[in-house]
Amino acid sequence: MKTPWRLVLLPVAVFVAAIAVAAVVIALSGSPPLPALVAWWEGAVSAPGALPESLLNATPLLFTGLAVAVGLLAGQFNIGVEGQLLMGALASAWVGFAVSGLPAPLHVLLALLAGALVGAVWGWIPGILKAWRGAHEVITTIMMNYIAIYLTQYLVTRVWKDPNSMSPQTPEALPSAWLPILVEGTRLSIGLLIALAAALILWYLLKRTVWGYELRAVGANAEAAQAAGVQVSRVIWGSMALSGAIGGLAGAVEVLGVHHRYYDQFSPGYGFDGIAVALLGNNHPLGAVLAAFVFGAMKNGAVYMQSVTVPAVPREITTVVQAVVIFFLAAMRFRRRGG
Amino acid sequence: MGEVFDIELFRSALRLATPLALAAMGGILSERSGVVNIGLEGQMLMGAFVGWAAAVALGNGWLGVLCGVGAGALLGFLHALLTQRFRADHVVSGMAVNLLSAGLTVFLLRRFLEKPPGASGVPEWSLSWLQPIPILGGLLANQSPFVFLMLLLPFALHGLLYHTVWGLRVRAVGESARKSRLAGINVVAIRYRCVMYSGALAALAGTYLSLSQLNVFTEGMSAGKGFIALAAVIFGRWTPLGATAAALGFGFLDALQQRLQGETLFGVRVPSELLLSLPYLLTIIALAGLVGRSIPPADLGRQEVGE
């Protein structure tokens, strides 16, 4: 059923409807909605410097959206991207500050790899538990999120804490591990290009390789895939590990490209934003690109909207929009097949 | 070392277990009827916010509790509507409930208040006649009414689930919607009710946070307690008494880590993060059946309502 309606028009309609709901919420809260919407748009797209910052906001969302989408295509609901991101971020920060004497490209590569690897392990555990013991991945990934929160908290407050800082954060990564800036005078790094490359590679893997075909077959109908000779359990833990790796990469790019260190409570919920991105992008890698940009721009614009509207419209309205988008899509289209 | 295991530790374990156990009862009702409810967290948060806001507006803690519980039931209704009427995936809908609450509570808080005022909360019960009784007096005197509710509710729910026709139907619907329908049970109606009760109970746990534990609402104050409640449900094998026991255990771990800040236990330094992550670790182990096995209701999370 690949009609343009499903792929493009429906998501656009849903997003517009969600913004309309937000406008109603803003109006009910006593702020004039029209100036708020105008400011929202300006802050997202047309104000000076808005666009690079919107792209910066979109980068982690693209990674987490891809991570969730890979899982969903295989019939696995990875709610654990948040934890995978935290683990990956801390791992890459460690490589960034503890490993020295490497040339820049190699150091960056090693740090990215560390993030992806640790994230992969964090996703693989729920995957193998499901494949081997039938433990529901939704519950185990939620639990893994909290274990990640406490483990990273422990490491960053007691083991790898920057001795010269009062707050729980690691030392700054060496400049050789920083991602180069993409647009001069902004905070936008080549992390965006890495995310776009990841989307393209995933699109190729999923649509053009046997491995991708098997993954989607398991997502569509695990029993039929098993009967057709696909090793379902391997696909389950493999897809969860890949999903986790992308989640870990999200954290690594955020560390190496923006903050250059890990600090406690690193993520404002990027992992959960990924669910909204994957759904709005129809679980398609290229759809995720558009959805990530839309949400990233929306979040960025809301900061500006909060600063110029009177009375101020709190930027948390973006979370409400995401929730409404998910409600609409869940009610209209989204079905998870597979067990 | 000092006195780690004194009566105060167990008192605070009871207090910390209260929101977990109350929300877990909600989780059991929803999940035994076959609907996954990971929206417990959001329902708890919304209950905490609405309960506190209503108590501030109306000047009465108990009225606040009532309003908070109503808001939770509404979110439950929303979750039931999506999962039953629109056949939405239970997990997706639950996540949306969580996001909606996280966004809306902070939005309203920031929009209307610089600094949230204190509400007239729900006062503790002194129960002075309990005082002379050893242990029991120390544990239960001057505790919040919510603590007593937490201790009594599981027994009531146990009776309902296992000794009434209604409870039998709820369990039947969760095990096999199709067979229940063939037996003439109105599956969807039962699920609607159970999910609404579920939201109401999670919100009740939330009002305990903002009207009893503290008398104020703070941003994101549910802080993952809804998910620990979910862990308690699984660890307690979807039974009221088991989940309450698990919640008490998790509450005890929390009380212990608060007590041990910078102290040693039997001469060993125990990181508080380790104690805090134990509930989640234990739940994974229980779910994977590495030690005993937690088996969910057979039809849990299925979208088909058995045509």
Side-chain angles (χ1 to χ4, degrees), chain A residues 180-240:
Chain A
I181 292 293
L182 186 64
V183 181
E184 205 53 51
T186 69
R187 297 196 300 158
L188 187 63
S189 75
I190 63 161
L192 176 67
L193 302 184
I194 300 173
L196 291 171
L200 280 172
I201 292 167
L202 268 179
W203 172 80
Y204 179 81
L205 273 180
L206 290 165
K207 305 284 177 190
R208 296 276 182 275
T209 68
V210 172
W211 183 85
Y213 180 77
E214 288 189 345
L215 184 142
R216 285 182 293 123
V218 170
N221 188 334
E223 280 169 17
Q226 181 88 40
V230 178
Q231 292 214 349
V232 171
S233 73
R234 190 186 296 178
V235 170
I236 289 176
W237 62 251
S239 63
M240 286 296 289

Coordinates of all heavy atoms in Angstrom, one line a residue, chain A residues 180-240:
Chain A
P180 N 34.6 18.1 13.3 CA 34.8 19.4 12.7 C 33.5 20.1 12.5 O 32.4 19.5 12.3 CB 35.4 19.1 11.3 CG 35.9 17.7 11.4 CD 35.1 17.0 12.5
I181 N 33.5 21.4 12.6 CA 32.3 22.3 12.4 C 32.0 22.3 10.9 O 32.8 22.5 10.1 CB 32.5 23.7 13.0 CG1 32.6 23.6 14.5 CG2 31.4 24.6 12.6 CD1 31.4 23.2 15.2
L182 N 30.7 22.2 10.6 CA 30.2 22.1 9.2 C 30.0 23.5 8.7 O 30.4 23.9 7.6 CB 28.9 21.3 9.2 CG 28.4 21.0 7.8 CD1 29.3 20.1 7.0 CD2 27.0 20.3 7.9
V183 N 29.4 24.4 9.5 CA 29.1 25.8 9.0 C 29.8 26.7 10.0 O 29.5 26.8 11.2 CB 27.5 26.0 9.1 CG1 27.3 27.5 8.6 CG2 26.8 25.0 8.2
E184 N 30.7 27.5 9.4 CA 31.5 28.4 10.2 C 30.6 29.4 11.0 O 29.6 29.9 10.5 CB 32.4 29.2 9.2 CG 33.7 29.8 9.9 CD 34.5 28.7 10.6 OE1 34.8 27.7 10.0 OE2 34.8 28.9 11.8
G185 N 31.0 29.6 12.3 CA 30.2 30.5 13.1 C 29.0 29.9 13.7 O 28.2 30.6 14.4
T186 N 28.7 28.6 13.5 CA 27.6 28.0 14.2 C 28.1 26.8 15.0 O 29.3 26.5 15.0 CB 26.5 27.4 13.2 OG1 27.1 26.3 12.5 CG2 26.1 28.5 12.2
R187 N 27.2 26.1 15.7 CA 27.5 25.0 16.5 C 27.4 23.7 15.7 O 27.6 22.6 16.2 CB 26.7 24.9 17.7 CG 26.9 26.0 18.7 CD 26.3 25.7 20.1 NE 24.9 25.4 20.0 CZ 24.3 24.7 20.9 NH1 24.9 24.2 22.0 NH2 23.0 24.5 20.8
L188 N 26.9 23.8 14.4 CA 26.6 22.7 13.6 C 27.9 21.9 13.1 O 28.7 22.5 12.4 CB 25.8 23.1 12.4 CG 25.2 22.0 11.5 CD1 24.2 21.1 12.3 CD2 24.5 22.5 10.3
S189 N 28.0 20.7 13.5 CA 29.2 19.9 13.2 C 28.9 18.9 12.0 O 27.7 18.8 11.6 CB 29.7 19.1 14.4 OG 28.9 18.0 14.6
I190 N 29.9 18.2 11.6 CA 29.6 17.2 10.6 C 28.8 16.0 11.1 O 28.6 15.0 10.4 CB 30.9 16.7 9.9 CG1 31.8 15.9 11.0 CG2 31.7 17.8 9.3 CD1 32.8 15.0 10.4
G191 N 28.4 16.0 12.4 CA 27.6 15.0 12.9 C 26.3 14.8 12.1 O 25.8 13.7 11.9
L192 N 25.8 16.0 11.5 CA 24.6 15.9 10.7 C 24.9 15.0 9.5 O 24.0 14.2 9.1 CB 24.2 17.3 10.2 CG 23.1 17.4 9.3 CD1 21.8 17.0 9.9 CD2 22.9 18.8 8.7
L193 N 26.1 15.2 8.9 CA 26.4 14.4 7.7 C 26.5 12.9 8.1 O 26.1 12.0 7.3 CB 27.7 14.8 7.1 CG 27.8 16.3 6.6 CD1 29.1 16.6 5.9 CD2 26.6 16.6 5.7
I194 N 27.1 12.6 9.2 CA 27.2 11.2 9.7 C 25.7 10.6 9.8 O 25.5 9.5 9.4 CB 27.9 11.1 11.0 CG1 29.3 11.7 10.9 CG2 28.0 9.7 11.5 CD1 30.1 11.8 12.2
A195 N 24.8 11.4 10.4 CA 23.5 11.0 10.5 C 22.8 10.7 9.2 O 22.1 9.7 9.0 CB 22.6 12.0 11.3
L196 N 23.0 11.6 8.2 CA 22.4 11.4 6.9 C 23.0 10.2 6.2 O 22.3 9.4 5.6 CB 22.7 12.7 6.1 CG 21.9 13.9 6.5 CD1 22.3 15.2 5.7 CD2 20.4 13.7 6.3
A197 N 24.3 10.0 6.4 CA 25.0 8.9 5.8 C 24.4 7.6 6.4 O 24.1 6.6 5.7 CB 26.5 8.9 6.1
A198 N 24.2 7.6 7.8 CA 23.6 6.4 8.4 C 22.2 6.1 7.8 O 21.9 5.0 7.6 CB 23.5 6.7 9.9
A199 N 21.4 7.2 7.6 CA 20.1 7.0 7.0 C 20.2 6.3 5.6 O 19.5 5.3 5.3 CB 19.4 8.3 6.9
L200 N 21.2 6.8 4.8 CA 21.3 6.2 3.5 C 21.8 4.8 3.5 O 21.3 3.9 2.8 CB 22.3 7.0 2.6 CG 21.8 8.3 2.0 CD1 22.9 9.2 1.4 CD2 20.7 8.0 1.0
I201 N 22.8 4.5 4.4 CA 23.3 3.1 4.5 C 22.2 2.2 5.0 O 22.1 1.1 4.4 CB 24.5 3.1 5.5 CG1 25.7 3.9 4.9 CG2 24.9 1.7 5.8 CD1 26.8 4.2 5.9
L202 N 21.4 2.7 5.9 CA 20.3 1.8 6.4 C 19.3 1.6 5.3 O 18.8 0.4 5.2 CB 19.6 2.5 7.6 CG 20.2 2.2 9.0 CD1 19.4 3.0 10.0 CD2 20.1 0.7 9.2
W203 N 19.0 2.6 4.6 CA 18.0 2.4 3.5 C 18.5 1.3 2.6 O 17.8 0.5 2.2 CB 17.8 3.8 2.8 CG 17.0 3.6 1.5 CD1 15.6 3.6 1.5 CD2 17.5 3.5 0.2 NE1 15.2 3.4 0.2 CE2 16.3 3.3 -0.6 CE3 18.7 3.5 -0.4 CZ2 16.4 3.2 -2.0 CZ3 18.9 3.3 -1.7 CH2 17.7 3.2 -2.6
Y204 N 19.8 1.4 2.2 CA 20.4 0.4 1.3 C 20.3 -1.0 2.0 O 19.9 -2.0 1.4 CB 21.8 0.8 1.0 CG 22.5 -0.2 0.1 CD1 22.2 -0.2 -1.3 CD2 23.3 -1.2 0.6 CE1 22.8 -1.2 -2.1 CE2 23.9 -2.2 -0.2 CZ 23.6 -2.1 -1.6 OH 24.2 -3.1 -2.4
L205 N 20.8 -1.1 3.2 CA 20.8 -2.4 3.9 C 19.4 -3.0 3.9 O 19.2 -4.2 3.7 CB 21.3 -2.2 5.4 CG 22.8 -2.2 5.6 CD1 23.0 -2.0 7.1 CD2 23.4 -3.6 5.2
L206 N 18.4 -2.2 4.3 CA 17.0 -2.7 4.5 C 16.4 -3.1 3.2 O 15.6 -4.0 3.1 CB 16.2 -1.7 5.3 CG 16.6 -1.5 6.7 CD1 16.0 -0.3 7.3 CD2 16.2 -2.7 7.5
K207 N 16.6 -2.3 2.1 CA 15.9 -2.5 0.9 C 16.6 -3.3 -0.2 O 16.0 -3.7 -1.1 CB 15.5 -1.1 0.3 CG 14.7 -0.2 1.2 CD 13.3 -0.6 1.4 CE 12.6 0.4 2.4 NZ 11.3 0.0 2.8
R208 N 17.9 -3.4 0.0 CA 18.7 -3.9 -1.1 C 19.5 -5.2 -0.7 O 20.3 -5.6 -1.5 CB 19.6 -2.9 -1.7 CG 18.9 -1.7 -2.3 CD 18.5 -2.0 -3.8 NE 17.8 -0.9 -4.4 CZ 16.5 -0.7 -4.3 NH1 15.8 -1.5 -3.6 NH2 16.0 0.4 -5.0
T209 N 19.5 -5.6 0.5 CA 20.3 -6.8 0.9 C 19.4 -7.9 1.4 O 18.3 -7.7 1.9 CB 21.3 -6.4 2.0 OG1 20.6 -6.1 3.2 CG2 22.2 -5.2 1.6
V210 N 19.9 -9.1 1.3 CA 19.2 -10.3 1.8 C 19.0 -10.1 3.3 O 17.9 -10.4 3.8 CB 20.1 -11.6 1.6 CG1 19.4 -12.7 2.3 CG2 20.2 -11.8 0.1
W211 N 20.0 -9.6 4.0 CA 19.9 -9.4 5.5 C 18.7 -8.5 5.8 O 17.9 -8.8 6.7 CB 21.2 -8.8 6.0 CG 21.2 -8.6 7.5 CD1 21.5 -9.6 8.4 CD2 20.8 -7.4 8.2 NE1 21.3 -9.0 9.6 CE2 20.9 -7.7 9.6 CE3 20.3 -6.2 7.8 CZ2 20.6 -6.8 10.5 CZ3 20.0 -5.2 8.8 CH2 20.2 -5.6 10.2
G212 N 18.6 -7.4 5.0 CA 17.5 -6.5 5.2 C 16.1 -7.1 4.9 O 15.1 -6.9 5.6
Y213 N 16.1 -7.9 3.9 CA 14.9 -8.6 3.5 C 14.4 -9.5 4.6 O 13.2 -9.6 4.9 CB 15.1 -9.3 2.2 CG 13.9 -10.1 1.7 CD1 12.8 -9.4 1.1 CD2 13.7 -11.4 1.9 CE1 11.7 -10.0 0.7 CE2 12.6 -12.1 1.4 CZ 11.6 -11.4 0.9 OH 10.4 -12.0 0.4
E214 N 15.4 -10.3 5.1 CA 15.0 -11.2 6.2 C 14.5 -10.4 7.4 O 13.6 -10.9 8.1 CB 16.3 -12.0 6.6 CG 16.6 -13.1 5.5 CD 17.7 -14.0 6.0 OE1 18.3 -13.8 7.0 OE2 17.9 -15.1 5.4
L215 N 15.2 -9.3 7.7 CA 14.8 -8.5 8.9 C 13.3 -8.1 8.7 O 12.5 -8.2 9.6 CB 15.7 -7.3 9.0 CG 15.5 -6.4 10.2 CD1 16.8 -5.9 10.7 CD2 14.6 -5.2 9.9
R216 N 13.0 -7.6 7.5 CA 11.6 -7.1 7.3 C 10.6 -8.3 7.3 O 9.5 -8.1 7.7 CB 11.5 -6.3 6.0 CG 12.2 -4.9 6.2 CD 12.0 -4.0 5.0 NE 12.9 -4.5 3.9 CZ 12.4 -4.8 2.7 NH1 11.1 -4.6 2.4 NH2 13.2 -5.2 1.7
A217 N 11.1 -9.4 6.8 CA 10.2 -10.6 6.8 C 9.9 -11.0 8.2 O 8.7 -11.4 8.5 CB 10.9 -11.8 6.1
V218 N 10.8 -11.0 9.1 CA 10.5 -11.3 10.5 C 9.6 -10.3 11.1 O 8.6 -10.7 11.8 CB 11.8 -11.4 11.3 CG1 11.5 -11.5 12.8 CG2 12.7 -12.5 10.9
G219 N 9.7 -9.0 10.7 CA 8.8 -8.0 11.2 C 7.4 -8.2 10.7 O 6.4 -7.9 11.4
A220 N 7.3 -8.6 9.4 CA 6.0 -8.8 8.8 C 5.3 -10.0 9.4 O 4.1 -9.9 9.7 CB 6.1 -8.9 7.3
N221 N 6.0 -11.1 9.5 CA 5.4 -12.3 10.0 C 6.5 -13.3 10.5 O 7.0 -14.0 9.6 CB 4.5 -12.9 9.0 CG 3.7 -14.1 9.6 OD1 4.1 -14.7 10.5 ND2 2.5 -14.3 9.0
A222 N 6.7 -13.3 11.8 CA 7.9 -14.1 12.3 C 7.7 -15.6 12.0 O 8.6 -16.3 11.6 CB 8.0 -13.9 13.8
E223 N 6.4 -16.1 12.1 CA 6.2 -17.5 11.9 C 6.5 -17.9 10.5 O 7.1 -18.9 10.2 CB 4.8 -17.9 12.4 CG 4.7 -18.0 13.9 CD 3.2 -18.1 14.3 OE1 2.3 -18.4 13.5 OE2 3.0 -17.9 15.5
A224 N 6.0 -17.1 9.6 CA 6.2 -17.4 8.2 C 7.6 -17.3 7.8 O 8.1 -18.2 7.0 CB 5.4 -16.4 7.3
A225 N 8.3 -16.4 8.4 CA 9.8 -16.2 8.1 C 10.5 -17.5 8.6 O 11.4 -18.0 7.9 CB 10.3 -15.0 8.8
Q226 N 10.1 -17.9 9.8 CA 10.7 -19.1 10.4 C 10.5 -20.3 9.4 O 11.4 -21.1 9.1 CB 10.1 -19.4 11.7 CG 10.7 -20.6 12.5 CD 11.9 -20.3 13.3 OE1 12.0 -19.2 13.9 NE2 12.9 -21.1 13.2
A227 N 9.3 -20.4 9.0 CA 8.9 -21.5 8.1 C 9.7 -21.5 6.8 O 10.0 -22.5 6.2 CB 7.4 -21.5 7.8
A228 N 10.0 -20.3 6.4 CA 10.7 -20.1 5.1 C 12.2 -20.2 5.3 O 13.0 -20.0 4.3 CB 10.4 -18.7 4.5
G229 N 12.7 -20.5 6.5 CA 14.1 -20.8 6.7 C 14.9 -19.7 7.2 O 16.1 -19.7 7.3
V230 N 14.2 -18.6 7.6 CA 15.0 -17.4 8.2 C 15.3 -17.8 9.6 O 14.4 -18.3 10.4 CB 14.1 -16.1 8.1 CG1 14.9 -15.0 8.8 CG2 13.8 -15.8 6.7
Q231 N 16.5 -17.5 10.1 CA 16.8 -17.7 11.5 C 16.3 -16.6 12.3 O 17.0 -15.6 12.5 CB 18.4 -17.8 11.6 CG 18.9 -19.0 11.0 CD 20.1 -19.6 11.7 OE1 20.6 -18.9 12.6 NE2 20.6 -20.8 11.4
V232 N 15.1 -16.7 12.7 CA 14.4 -15.6 13.4 C 15.1 -15.1 14.6 O 15.2 -13.9 14.8 CB 12.9 -16.0 13.7 CG1 12.2 -15.0 14.6 CG2 12.1 -16.3 12.5
S233 N 15.6 -16.0 15.5 CA 16.2 -15.5 16.7 C 17.4 -14.7 16.4 O 17.7 -13.7 17.1 CB 16.5 -16.7 17.6 OG 17.6 -17.4 17.1
R234 N 18.2 -15.1 15.4 CA 19.3 -14.3 15.0 C 18.9 -12.9 14.5 O 19.6 -11.9 14.8 CB 20.2 -15.0 14.0 CG 21.5 -14.3 13.7 CD 22.3 -14.9 12.6 NE 22.6 -16.3 12.8 CZ 23.3 -17.0 11.9 NH1 23.6 -16.5 10.7 NH2 23.6 -18.3 12.1
V235 N 17.8 -12.8 13.8 CA 17.4 -11.5 13.3 C 16.9 -10.7 14.5 O 17.2 -9.4 14.5 CB 16.2 -11.7 12.3 CG1 15.5 -10.4 12.0 CG2 16.7 -12.3 11.0
I236 N 16.3 -11.3 15.5 CA 15.8 -10.5 16.6 C 17.0 -9.9 17.4 O 17.0 -8.7 17.6 CB 15.0 -11.4 17.6 CG1 13.6 -11.8 16.9 CG2 14.7 -10.7 18.9 CD1 12.8 -12.8 17.7
W237 N 18.0 -10.7 17.8 CA 19.0 -10.0 18.5 C 19.9 -9.2 17.6 O 20.5 -8.2 18.1 CB 19.8 -11.0 19.4 CG 20.6 -12.1 18.8 CD1 20.2 -13.5 18.9 CD2 21.8 -12.1 18.1 NE1 21.2 -14.2 18.2 CE2 22.2 -13.4 17.7 CE3 22.7 -11.1 17.7 CZ2 23.3 -13.8 17.0 CZ3 23.8 -11.4 17.0 CH2 24.1 -12.7 16.6
G238 N 20.0 -9.6 16.3 CA 20.8 -8.7 15.4 C 20.2 -7.4 15.2 O 20.9 -6.3 15.2
S239 N 18.9 -7.3 15.0 CA 18.2 -6.0 14.8 C 18.2 -5.2 16.1 O 18.4 -4.0 16.0 CB 16.7 -6.2 14.4 OG 16.0 -6.9 15.4
M240 N 18.1 -5.8 17.2 CA 18.2 -5.0 18.5 C 19.6 -4.5 18.7 O 19.8 -3.4 19.2 CB 17.8 -5.9 19.7 CG 16.3 -6.2 19.7 SD 15.3 -4.6 20.0 CE 15.7 -4.3 21.7

